[in-house]
Amino acid sequence: MYFMRGTRHFRIYLVVVLLKCCWEAVCGQLSYSVSEEVNPGTLVGNIAKDLNLNVQDLESRMFQIVAGSKRKYFDVNLKTGVLYVNERIDREELCAKTAKCTVHVEAVINDPLKLYRLEITITDINDNAPVFSEQLQSLNIAENTLPGIKFGLIGASDLDVGKNDLNTYKLSKNDYFTLETNKGGDSVSADLVVLKSLDREQDSVLKLTLTAVDGGNPSKSGTSQIIINVLDTNDNHPVFSKSLYKTQITENLPTGSVVIILNATDADEGLNSEIEYSLRKKGQDRVLDLFQIDPKTGAILVRGKIDYEENAAFEIHAQASDRGQPPMSAHCKVLVEVLDLNDNAPEITVKSLLNRVKEDAEVGTAIALVSVLDKDGGKNGVVKAVITNDAPFKLDTNYKNYYSLVVNGLLDRETQTQYNISIVATDEGTPPLSSTNIVTVQVSDVNDNPPRFSEQLVNVYVRENSPVGAIITKVTAKDSDSDQNGQVSYSFLQSNSNSLPLSTMININSETGDIVSLQSFNYEELKTFQFKVQATDSGVPPLSSNVTVNVLILDENDNNPTVLAPYSEHGSVNSESIPYSAEAGYFVAKIRAVDADSGYNALLSYHLSEHKGNNLFRIGTSTGEIRTKRRMSDNDLKTHPLVVLVSDNGEPSLSATVSIDVVVVESAADIQTQFRHVTIKEESFSALNLYLLIAIVSVSAIFLLSLITLIAVKCHRTDSSFSRYGAPMITTHPDGSWSYSKSTQQYDVCFSSDTLKSDVVVFPAPYPPVDGELISINGGDTFTRTQTLPNKEMPKVQSGDWRYSASLRAGGVMQSSVHMEESSVMQGAQGVLVQNWPTASSAADPEGGEVSPPMGAGVDSNSWHFRYGPGGPGAPPQHLKPGEVPPEAFIIPGSPAIISIRQNQGGEDDKSDFITFGKKEEAKKKKKKKKEKKDKKDKGKDDGDE
């Protein structure tokens, strides 16, 4: 046997076939053909060109060949796109005696991921010569063997297939024997045929050479030497009933099962006819391991495991020998076909393409190649693979039993980080067999979840005066992503609307979210402020979310109450005067205070601290009004120093005090109004104040111009009306009274020498002028006349009743004929204080009544008594008690009623502050009786106090 290697040139056949598409658009199968034993680096085909791929993209898109076996026979040149042989290929080692030898590989390219199936056929070359298992064969042939008798020879085997396989046998030239070659299917056997009788005495041993020749070009051959021993005569040899036996058995037969029974006969008698069966000992070692023959019965029995997947058929050579001397034998061939059983479950092989799949992977993304193989044949080898569990994946069929495991739904790592995909492959045998393979797919994280706060609005309560550096709150955001995508950092979100300098007030720990105060907060300066915190993860691109934090400063009781003017000056002496005749409940003073705190910390209460034994005054706990508790007695001091304690309701309580000296005077005339200068805190003159000042000046100027225009128009319209009357004249009388007259009307105004006790007497004409006027008399004996809106109605008869105007008493419709405005300033003789007087106006009221003074009159408030009585204008003043005016001091012409106006001196919160109305003397008598009763009552009370 001779082998030729190294210098042989091999012809490479390249066939490119584009199969039917089994994948997406560009996916399919390419078929190539290459001879075995070619040198590594031998070109197989231009795969880039065949797949319509750009050569420049192969390297960047990571084009690669994925081999299905452990050895990588083929690879691709990324520079040229050429598929080449990577290592030596031995077809006989790879596929043995298989007629067609193919190698399946997968080509993978990324961006986008594409899969291509390559089928490369390995063509056979005549690189193997026929080989005899026995280099020396020995035959015992009787010398009287008749011509035509055949003797079986041990055949040769050739690892090559097809035309390169064993083709024929040749026998060396001799005179006694010839060679008969038998071809059956893929097998070739040779029998040695006797041409003429042997002569043992002439040639006892014959040596022949058997040559086996294959069909290659050039052909190869192998030889075996045949030694023929010429024996003495045994006339008849055994004869088999058939020279060729055929039978079928199923695989996996138990040991000892009968395959077939051979039958041979011998025409001789005696020992020469006793037949003994045997299997040829040489050239069928595998058969001898699996089968045995009963030497007496000729039954071939199963000895080992029969596996269809290993051997689908067997060729057994048996012989029958007699016991003659020399013994004679016969040979036969037994062909055993093994029937397949569904005894092999499918085998699942998974080749991962991606170690981890991103959770945002698109539907159709391939993550693994799945191949399913079944060693059984026919329907037993037809396999179908499916995914049995619920997972967002599916199997796409690529080619026959090759699949791609692809994404078939949305992946969410936060919901499930790992999928265990159960792939079950089932064949179509009876009964069907199946196998399961668990493929674990890890889902990698992408930054698809922003940090989330549990609340969108956080309210934080911080006590004022809290220490600097204290943690006021902690914000926490959770990110369901992992690793860097889930690492959250915190920061303040800048806002254009936030004018507060947050950087000087608070700070935030970017890692923990702790918000720390950088200053101590003052509730009185800042009650609340708001800011936003942004939580940002470390993903690419980063995601973020915000939370609004409202910081509410809680008030602490850190401010003392402050007493307001006029009692708030430090170091000043506060004094108030009350008349000796003050009744119980007489209003002395009102303390007002404020507290910069809020809530209960600013809820103030007033308490009076008096000297022991002094129980003359009381103070309203909530109002701060100081009033008398009883009437004065002779034992009471003339000066009462009072200390007012103003306390808040905080914990602990803070307080402030103010001292007031209450001086008791004999009468109301001695009470002097205290005028205090209230210090005005200077404030910075801001731009806003400037704008307000300009606006006020502008509005005032417009109003003034409008008023001047209105007055000018009014004066122009009423010049003719004034011409009917003379200029108003005011006359000062020696008794201190003034007279005002205009044409037919006359008003007399009288003042006593004591202005604080003065009575005002007005003498009007029966009918007022058409246009009412306001008269203001200044200290220089001058007057200013301001014309009011003209009264176009017909003059009405003066009413008989008088009461306060609407400016002093709420409610009621007043008809005014004669009035003195509250803003008028009446000035008497020189040296007398100016007194502001309320307006008196007339109203129709058929019954006499009482009206209390207006609320909030306080100290030095004015109350009036109106009485009716006979009299006439010009009646001389009488010497009466202080504060009284005789009935005839005020006479209304055309009416028997007179009006006496008196300032009240009592200061009591009783019915002394009222207005009495009446038309006749009965009203005067009733009032007098009421006064007498009251005097008696007061006298009784004084006696009780004593």
Side-chain angles (χ1 to χ4, degrees), residues 461-467 520-522 552-556:
Y461 298 91
V462 180
R463 292 186 176 276
E464 67 171 329
N465 304 324
S466 60
S520 181
F521 299 104
N522 189 351
L552 307 174
I553 311 301
L554 299 180
D555 183 45
E556 291 285 332

Side-chain angles (χ1 to χ4, degrees), residues 234 236-238 266 268 271-272 274 320-324 326-328:
N234 183 9
N236 296 290
H237 56 79
D266 193 324
D268 293 327
L271 293 177
N272 291 334
E274 292 181 7
S321 302
D322 58 24
R323 301 179 67 181
M328 299 186 69

Side-chain angles (χ1 to χ4, degrees), residues 413-457:
R413 191 208 62 82
E414 290 70 39
T415 303
Q416 190 167 353
T417 60
Q418 176 180 297
Y419 291 91
N420 294 320
I421 305 171
S422 179
I423 301 177
V424 176
T426 307
D427 59 27
E428 296 183 3
T430 303
L433 299 178
S434 63
S435 60
T436 303
N437 192 322
I438 305 298
V439 179
T440 301
V441 177
Q442 301 289 341
V443 181
S444 62
D445 185 50
V446 296
N447 194 23
D448 58 345
N449 291 281
R452 298 188 183 278
F453 292 95
S454 59
E455 297 177 341
Q456 296 301 316
L457 180 64

Side-chain angles (χ1 to χ4, degrees), residues 897-912:
I898 65 172
I899 300 176
S900 176
I901 306 175
R902 176 182 305 164
Q903 181 179 8
N904 179 39
Q905 301 175 6
E908 302 172 350
D909 292 339
D910 55 16
K911 293 184 179 181
S912 62

Side-chain angles (χ1 to χ4, degrees), residues 14-20 28-33 50-51 117-119:
L14 173 62
V15 179
V16 180
V17 180
L18 182 62
L19 300 180
K20 181 180 179 180
Q29 176 173 293
L30 294 178
S31 294
Y32 294 89
S33 179
D50 297 333
L51 295 178
R117 177 177 172 80
L118 304 180
E119 183 182 85

Side-chain angles (χ1 to χ4, degrees), residues 531-736:
F531 58 90
K532 289 186 176 181
V533 176
Q534 184 179 64
T536 307
D537 59 29
S538 301
V540 178
L543 301 178
S544 62
S545 62
N546 306 328
V547 63
T548 301
V549 180
N550 289 329
V551 179
L552 307 174
I553 311 301
L554 299 180
D555 183 45
E556 291 285 332
N557 192 24
D558 58 346
N559 291 280
N560 292 337
T562 302
V563 180
L564 299 179
Y567 304 110
S568 60
E569 297 121 353
H570 297 286
S572 60
V573 178
N574 303 308
S575 63
E576 295 291 345
S577 301
I578 61 173
Y580 179 79
S581 60
E583 299 291 338
Y586 181 85
F587 180 85
V588 178
K590 181 179 178 66
I591 306 301
R592 293 184 302 161
V594 295
D595 195 316
D597 295 322
S598 64
Y600 283 100
N601 296 330
L603 184 60
L604 304 179
S605 59
Y606 301 86
H607 305 279
L608 198 59
S609 298
E610 300 179 283
H611 294 290
K612 187 175 181 181
N614 190 350
N615 60 349
L616 180 60
F617 301 97
R618 61 182 172 86
I619 189 170
T621 306
S622 58
T623 63
E625 293 183 355
I626 302 175
R627 295 181 180 272
T628 57
K629 295 170 65 175
R630 57 180 176 79
R631 293 191 63 181
M632 297 290 177
S633 65
D634 294 338
N635 296 330
D636 292 328
L637 301 174
K638 297 301 182 181
T639 300
H640 298 268
L642 302 181
V643 178
V644 178
L645 177 67
V646 184
S647 303
D648 57 28
N649 282 349
E651 289 293 339
S653 176
L654 301 178
S655 62
T657 58
V658 60
S659 299
I660 300 177
D661 291 341
V662 180
V663 180
V664 180
V665 297
E666 291 298 328
S667 64
D670 296 333
I671 299 176
Q672 300 295 328
T673 303
Q674 298 293 330
F675 295 96
R676 296 178 177 87
H677 174 71
V678 179
T679 304
I680 300 176
K681 183 179 180 181
E682 294 184 0
E683 296 182 355
S684 59
F685 195 77
S686 63
L688 180 61
N689 294 336
L690 179 61
Y691 297 150
L692 292 175
L693 180 60
I694 294 175
I696 293 173
V697 171
S698 301
V699 173
S700 301
I702 295 172
F703 174 75
L704 184 60
L705 292 175
S706 301
L707 184 61
I708 293 174
T709 304
L710 180 62
I711 293 175
V713 173
K714 188 69 177 179
C715 292
H716 176 71
R717 292 176 56 189
T718 57
D719 284 345
S720 59
S721 300
F722 283 120
S723 62
R724 294 181 299 169
Y725 306 100
M729 180 178 64
I730 297 177
T731 305
T732 304
H733 299 282
D735 59 357

Side-chain angles (χ1 to χ4, degrees), residues 134-184:
E134 298 293 331
Q135 298 297 318
L136 181 63
Q137 302 184 47
S138 179
L139 295 176
N140 294 321
I141 302 176
E143 63 178 347
N144 58 352
T145 301
L146 298 176
I149 298 301
K150 299 178 182 179
F151 296 92
L153 299 177
I154 298 173
S157 63
D158 196 337
L159 295 178
D160 296 326
V161 295
K163 66 179 182 179
N164 296 323
D165 197 2
L166 178 63
N167 185 41
T168 186
Y169 290 95
K170 294 180 181 181
L171 186 64
S172 61
K173 189 176 180 180
N174 64 90
D175 296 330
Y176 299 100
F177 299 95
T178 186
L179 196 64
E180 180 180 315
T181 304
N182 301 313
K183 292 185 178 180

